[in-house]
């Protein structure tokens, strides 16, 4: 079973929920695929045992062979090649490594190099969970290669909890590959609901099962419940707002060790998660 924990925007409690769900199941694999800003380890405090670099290929043009015919730049739908009369320029950051430019080059002037775009760490959390955490190199255009590589490492696990990137970006979509259930963490506020609606639309186009956890209940309004009812999306957990929880989050403490009532909520969520994914 593979569960992705999502949110419409950052700061709704996605990482809190995903780390604690994993911690309730020490056999579960926890994957932090929020590759722009992975912070699950603030809670899980892993001991890292492996570091795996992520690279992508990019074209290199041999100017001795290149006749500046422009066939490669015409072919490239990402505009990653600029052919000038005196030189051919490769924009590595926007190349999607499709390999097509080398195939259309009549002079065999294109070969491929590799460049680093991120890193994956693998280790064991204080909770006993195996942890895989991906991080993209700052300034990189896309975190998708890091996510795809990380997911290839998850195949041997029966139970996986994924901390997905927030929003509806291509990294969010990439993190959902192979997932059985998307768990949306939201807050009971109009802004959070507006962002959540976009996530729901994305998941509907992917035909994915989904459920909602409302975090910080007691703040805001109850519009989210009406929306979920109308859209037939189950709300499977509610976490009340409290100053103590906010402080624990800021300190990176595992809430399940602190407050029995919160642990009970998350245990209930996990039971529902398993039931929802079986549907
Ligand atoms: S297709 Fe080959 S020869 Fe033509 S511009 Fe590109 S690299 Fe140069
Ligand atoms: S590998 Fe593909 S995406 Fe990259 S420059 Fe060549 S044609 Fe464009």
């Amino acid at each position: 079973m593979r569960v992705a924990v999502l949110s419409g925007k950052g700061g709704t409690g996605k990482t809190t929920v995903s780390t604690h769900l994993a911690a309730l199941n020490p056999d579960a694999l926890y994957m932090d695929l929020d590759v722009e800003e992975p912070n699950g380890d603030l809670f899980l405090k892993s001991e890292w045992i492996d570091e795996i670099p992520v690279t992508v290929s990019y074209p290199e043009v041999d100017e001795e062979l290149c006749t500046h015919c422009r066939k490669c730049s015409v072919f490239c739908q990402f505009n990653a090649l600029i052919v000038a009369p005196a030189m051919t320029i490769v924009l590595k950051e926007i190349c999607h490594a499709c390999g097509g430019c080398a195939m259309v080059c009549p002079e065999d002037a294109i070969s491929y190099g590799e460049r680093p775009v991120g890193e994956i760490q693998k280790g064991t959390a204080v909770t006993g969970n195996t942890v895989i955490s991906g991080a993209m190199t700052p300034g990189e255009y896309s975190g998708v290669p890091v996510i795809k590589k990380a997911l290839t490492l998850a195949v041997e696990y029966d139970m996986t909890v994924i901390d997905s990137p927030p929003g509806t970006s291509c990294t969010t979509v990439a993190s959902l590959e192979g997932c059985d259930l998307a768990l949306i963490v939201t807050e009971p506020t109009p802004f959070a609901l507006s962002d959540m609606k976009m996530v729901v639309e994305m998941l509907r186009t992917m035909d994915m099962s989904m459920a909602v956890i409302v975090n910080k209940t007691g703040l805001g309004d109850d519009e989210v419940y009406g929306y979920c009812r109308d859209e037939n999306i189950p709300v499977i957990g509610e976490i009340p707002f409290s100053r103590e929880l906010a402080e624990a989050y800021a300190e990176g403490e595992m809430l399940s060790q602190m407050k029995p009532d919160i642990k009970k909520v998350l245990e209930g969520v996990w039971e529902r998660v398993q039931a929802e994914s079986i549907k």
Side-chain angles (χ1 to χ4, degrees):
M1 182 172 77
R2 192 179 283 187
V3 180
V5 184
L6 308 171
S7 64
K9 64 179 184 69
T12 56
K14 172 174 66 68
T15 299
T16 308
V17 168
S18 59
T19 51
H20 286 77
L21 284 180
L24 288 168
N25 302 270
D27 290 336
L29 167 68
Y30 174 78
M31 299 189 79
D32 196 343
L33 298 186
D34 191 355
V35 292
E36 261 187 66
E37 204 175 342
N39 60 2
D41 208 54
L42 288 176
F43 297 102
L44 296 175
K45 299 176 175 60
S46 303
E47 186 179 330
W48 301 117
I49 52 173
D50 207 2
E51 287 182 358
I52 301 142
V54 182
T55 62
V56 295
S57 59
Y58 67 96
E60 291 177 314
V61 177
D62 185 340
E63 287 291 346
E64 300 276 310
L65 299 174
C66 178
T67 57
H68 307 110
C69 69
R70 296 191 66 249
K71 285 190 175 158
C72 56
S73 63
V74 169
F75 175 85
C76 182
Q77 59 178 302
F78 303 104
N79 299 318
L81 291 157
I82 300 170
V83 182
M87 67 187 302
T88 298
I89 299 164
V90 178
L91 305 176
K92 297 175 193 171
E93 287 73 20
I94 58 174
C95 167
H96 282 54
C98 73
C101 50
M103 292 169 75
V104 300
C105 176
E107 309 298 335
D108 240 353
I110 296 178
S111 58
Y112 288 94
E114 291 285 322
R115 66 187 188 87
V117 293
E119 188 179 75
I120 294 165
Q121 290 181 299
K122 190 171 177 184
T124 307
V126 286
T127 52
N129 297 88
T130 300
V131 176
I132 291 175
S133 178
M136 60 193 275
T137 305
E140 274 301 324
Y141 181 71
S142 171
V144 171
V146 177
I147 291 173
K148 285 191 168 173
K149 175 74 178 177
L151 287 172
T152 64
L153 305 173
V155 287
E156 67 201 75
Y157 295 87
D158 291 338
M159 191 177 290
T160 300
V161 178
I162 293 176
D163 188 344
S164 292
T168 54
S169 67
C170 50
T171 49
T172 310
V173 173
S175 74
L176 293 168
E177 189 180 319
C179 283
D180 305 295
L181 177 72
L183 201 50
I184 307 168
V185 182
T186 190
E187 294 170 359
T189 64
F191 287 129
L193 177 58
S194 167
D195 291 333
M196 185 182 112
K197 286 177 180 175
M198 288 191 278
V199 174
V200 169
E201 276 175 34
M202 175 189 73
L203 294 170
R204 287 256 151 88
T205 62
M206 299 174 76
D207 201 22
M208 182 162 284
S209 297
M210 65 184 101
V212 165
I213 294 180
V214 183
N215 191 19
K216 302 180 189 167
T217 58
L219 296 177
D221 54 37
D222 58 4
E223 219 182 313
V224 65
Y225 298 100
Y227 171 76
C228 289
R229 200 165 41 244
D230 292 346
E231 293 291 324
N232 210 18
I233 304 169
V235 176
I236 64 169
E238 295 174 87
I239 302 172
F241 173 78
S242 81
R243 182 173 293 279
E244 189 182 342
L245 293 186
E247 285 170 359
Y249 178 79
E251 294 294 320
E253 292 178 23
M254 292 302 283
L255 307 182
S256 54
Q257 291 160 359
M258 292 184 55
K259 291 203 51 156
D261 52 337
I262 296 301
K263 185 175 180 184
K264 204 168 157 195
V265 168
L266 290 168
E267 283 172 342
V269 167
W270 188 248
E271 279 169 25
R272 291 288 303 272
V273 163
Q274 295 185 76
E276 291 297 325
S277 64
I278 291 164
K279 275 202 309 194

